[in-house]
Amino acid sequence: MRRSVGRLRHAHRRLRLGTRLALGLGVLSLAVFAVVGTTLTAHMRDYLEQQLGTQLKLVQTVQAKDAAAHGTVRRKPYYGWYTAVYDVSDDAVRLRRPADVPEDTGAFTALARAMAHSDTELTHTARIDGEGTYRLRGCEVRPGVVLVSAAPVTDVEETVERLITVQVVVFALALAALVVAGRHMLRRGLKPLSDMASTAHGIASHDLTESAARLPLRADGRDGGPEVAELRTAFNTMLEHIDRSLAVRAEAEQRLRRFVADASHELRTPLMSVRGYADLFQYAAADAPGERERHLARLRAEAARMGVLLDDLLLLARLDAADAGAPVRASPTDVVELVRQAADAFRAGHPGHPLTVSADPGPLVTRLDADRIRQVLDNLLTNAAVHTPAGTPVSVTVAAGPGEVLIRVADAGPGIPEEDRERVFDRFYRVDKARSRDRGGSGLGLSVARSLVGAHGGTVELAGGPGATVFTVRLPRGGRRDLPG
């Protein structure tokens, strides 16, 4: 038994949702039909029996007068009905003759005996051998005389049976039509879900390893009602999120490949220089002190340049790491004083570029990492000196904005072409492709500056046109609260 139930449950789970819902609707409808049919049949049976009882009562009213006048009932009301008149006493019950009764009179006699001890009419249903089931009713004609009438209930039973047959046929047809129509409606209503399942299978077969791959499928349509529409919207939103995530991942992968290629290219030059000078030491310059010192100086310069490049790469990697804390330590700092220090260092290192500093009077204190922001200022100022001709004026402006601190570094040089402005903050990107690395740097200065400012919760923007370049640094007033102190 348990195995059979388990098999049925397993088979039910394997059915499609529309079929399971249609079967459930059929079972529910069958239960409703059973309740309705049982109630209707019981009500009809009670009604017919009451009608038969009322008819017996009316017939007995006439028969009682006939029995009182003639001693027995001479007229038969309906075919198949029986009538008997009894003389009852304390000792015996005697049937008057002639009487229209069947051979089995036990039920008549028992009802007449019961009437001897009753003050009201009695009604009883009994089965008479050879005749069937009858409805018996007794009434008193006069004291000591009882009239018993019997009516067959065959018509009632046949009517009820016919009603049951009609109900079974009609309910079976209605149930079949309901299941078929319900299955069709459910299939049509669940079609959007099937479409979404097909879309999901199409996505599963799509190659998500393609660069910047956009999922070509969407769940469309307006059928299915509000619930399906909500599911469709959520499904499409999920696909859009996956699209964006894939695009971001593809962009990150491309940026990583470009970064690795550029880093390899940038490191190859100093390494080749170090290797070349080492070969000179081995084959030519070991016995010439002047040459040896010159080659050692070049070795130290290349090693220092490679060290700066590696330090910048390590800093960018730490700033990009999502699971590592930003390498900044914030403390209250006077931004104006920090700018003045960077300006003094710039004047000493680049005397050919006149520099002016404009700032509001008084200190401008906010929470930031002074060393890192100083590195940002040095990078921006060095970028202005390297990429402009000698004598080009450079200016730095410090101002307090609404909830932020603004630092603008501007120069009056040739400016940055429009097609290069969107990529000047990319790593290893150079506006002047022909500029030597000794003068142009590694192309990481602006990337480091933007990352350091972003670690403080600020931004770096580029503005200006031909003949002017303006970098604007925006730092939140008061600093980021999540920075370590």
Side-chain angles (χ1 to χ4, degrees), residues 418-433:
E418 185 69 27
E419 61 273 11
D420 293 321
R421 291 183 183 180
E422 295 182 357
R423 298 194 58 190
V424 293
F425 292 103
D426 291 350
R427 297 169 188 181
F428 299 110
Y429 184 78
R430 296 184 181 87
V431 176
D432 187 358
K433 307 298 187 300

Side-chain angles (χ1 to χ4, degrees), residues 127-449:
R127 182 169 183 79
I128 300 175
D129 294 340
E131 299 294 335
T133 304
Y134 275 73
R135 186 76 168 174
L136 285 73
R137 189 177 190 278
C139 66
E140 188 179 45
V141 178
R142 60 175 180 266
V145 179
V146 174
L147 172 64
V148 178
S149 301
V153 297
T154 304
D155 293 341
V156 175
E157 296 295 337
E158 290 178 354
T159 303
V160 171
E161 290 177 359
R162 185 175 299 175
L163 177 62
I164 292 175
T165 302
V166 172
Q167 288 178 349
V168 169
V169 173
V170 172
F171 287 167
L173 294 176
L175 182 62
L178 183 62
V179 171
V180 173
R183 180 69 183 92
H184 176 72
M185 294 177 63
L186 288 172
R187 180 179 298 176
R188 183 175 180 180
L190 295 175
K191 187 178 182 301
L193 299 181
S194 299
D195 294 341
M196 280 185 274
S198 300
T199 302
H201 287 300
I203 293 172
S205 62
H206 188 65
D207 185 9
L208 299 181
T209 61
E210 297 178 2
S211 299
R214 175 175 174 81
L215 301 178
L217 302 175
R218 287 296 184 273
D220 299 323
R222 298 182 179 179
D223 298 331
E227 294 80 4
V228 176
E230 293 176 2
L231 179 59
R232 184 187 300 111
T233 301
F235 188 79
N236 290 335
T237 302
M238 178 192 67
L239 294 182
E240 292 294 338
H241 177 69
I242 294 176
D243 280 339
R244 290 193 296 268
S245 300
L246 291 176
V248 170
R249 188 185 71 174
E251 182 181 357
E253 290 178 351
Q254 291 179 357
R255 187 164 53 247
L256 178 61
R257 294 190 187 98
R258 187 169 61 248
F259 177 79
V260 172
D262 292 340
S264 301
H265 183 72
E266 292 294 333
L267 289 173
R268 183 185 300 114
T269 300
L271 287 175
M272 292 298 294
S273 297
V274 170
R275 182 178 178 180
Y277 286 117
D279 291 340
L280 285 176
F281 265 99
Q282 181 178 1
Y283 297 111
D287 297 330
E291 290 293 326
R292 183 168 60 250
E293 293 299 328
R294 187 169 63 87
H295 293 330
L296 284 175
R298 293 297 301 172
L299 281 173
R300 284 192 295 269
E302 293 295 336
R305 181 170 174 269
M306 189 163 52
V308 172
L309 178 62
L310 291 176
D311 289 340
D312 288 343
L313 290 175
L314 178 60
L315 177 60
L316 289 172
R318 294 179 62 190
L319 291 172
D320 290 342
D323 56 347
V328 294
R329 293 290 183 269
S331 61
T333 304
D334 184 1
V335 179
V336 175
E337 179 61 26
L338 189 64
V339 170
R340 295 187 188 281
Q341 294 175 5
D344 293 339
F346 177 80
R347 293 188 183 99
H350 303 86
H353 288 77
L355 174 65
T356 58
V357 177
S358 301
D360 295 336
L364 182 56
V365 180
T366 185
R367 290 184 76 256
L368 50 83
D369 189 328
D371 294 336
R372 296 304 184 186
I373 297 302
R374 171 64 187 275
Q375 184 178 357
V376 171
L377 295 174
D378 291 342
N379 287 347
L380 294 178
L381 290 171
T382 300
N383 183 77
V386 170
H387 296 285
T388 57
T392 302
V394 180
S395 64
V396 181
T397 304
V398 184
E404 61 183 4
V405 176
L406 302 179
I407 304 175
R408 291 187 177 89
V409 178
D411 64 70
I416 299 176
E418 185 69 27
E419 61 273 11
D420 293 321
R421 291 183 183 180
E422 295 182 357
R423 298 194 58 190
V424 293
F425 292 103
D426 291 350
R427 297 169 188 181
F428 299 110
Y429 184 78
R430 296 184 181 87
V431 176
D432 187 358
K433 307 298 187 300
R435 184 181 294 273
S436 111
R437 287 180 175 81
D438 292 337
R439 295 187 59 197
S442 63
L444 292 177
L446 293 180
S447 298
V448 171

Side-chain angles (χ1 to χ4, degrees), residues 57-177:
K57 183 178 180 180
L58 294 176
V59 170
Q60 275 196 332
T61 302
V62 178
Q63 289 178 340
K65 296 179 180 180
D66 191 9
H70 303 92
T72 60
V73 177
R74 295 183 177 181
R75 294 188 302 175
K76 293 181 62 176
Y78 301 105
Y79 176 78
W81 288 45
Y82 296 104
T83 304
V85 179
Y86 285 88
D87 293 318
V88 297
S89 61
D90 294 337
D91 297 332
V93 176
R94 184 177 61 84
L95 176 64
R96 290 185 180 181
R97 297 290 182 176
D100 185 13
V101 293
E103 295 181 0
D104 181 14
T105 60
F108 292 80
T109 304
L111 183 59
R113 183 177 290 108
M115 283 295 301
H117 306 283
S118 176
D119 296 333
T120 60
E121 293 83 0
L122 297 179
T123 303
H124 181 63
T125 301
R127 182 169 183 79
I128 300 175
D129 294 340
E131 299 294 335
T133 304
Y134 275 73
R135 186 76 168 174
L136 285 73
R137 189 177 190 278
C139 66
E140 188 179 45
V141 178
R142 60 175 180 266
V145 179
V146 174
L147 172 64
V148 178
S149 301
V153 297
T154 304
D155 293 341
V156 175
E157 296 295 337
E158 290 178 354
T159 303
V160 171
E161 290 177 359
R162 185 175 299 175
L163 177 62
I164 292 175
T165 302
V166 172
Q167 288 178 349
V168 169
V169 173
V170 172
F171 287 167
L173 294 176
L175 182 62

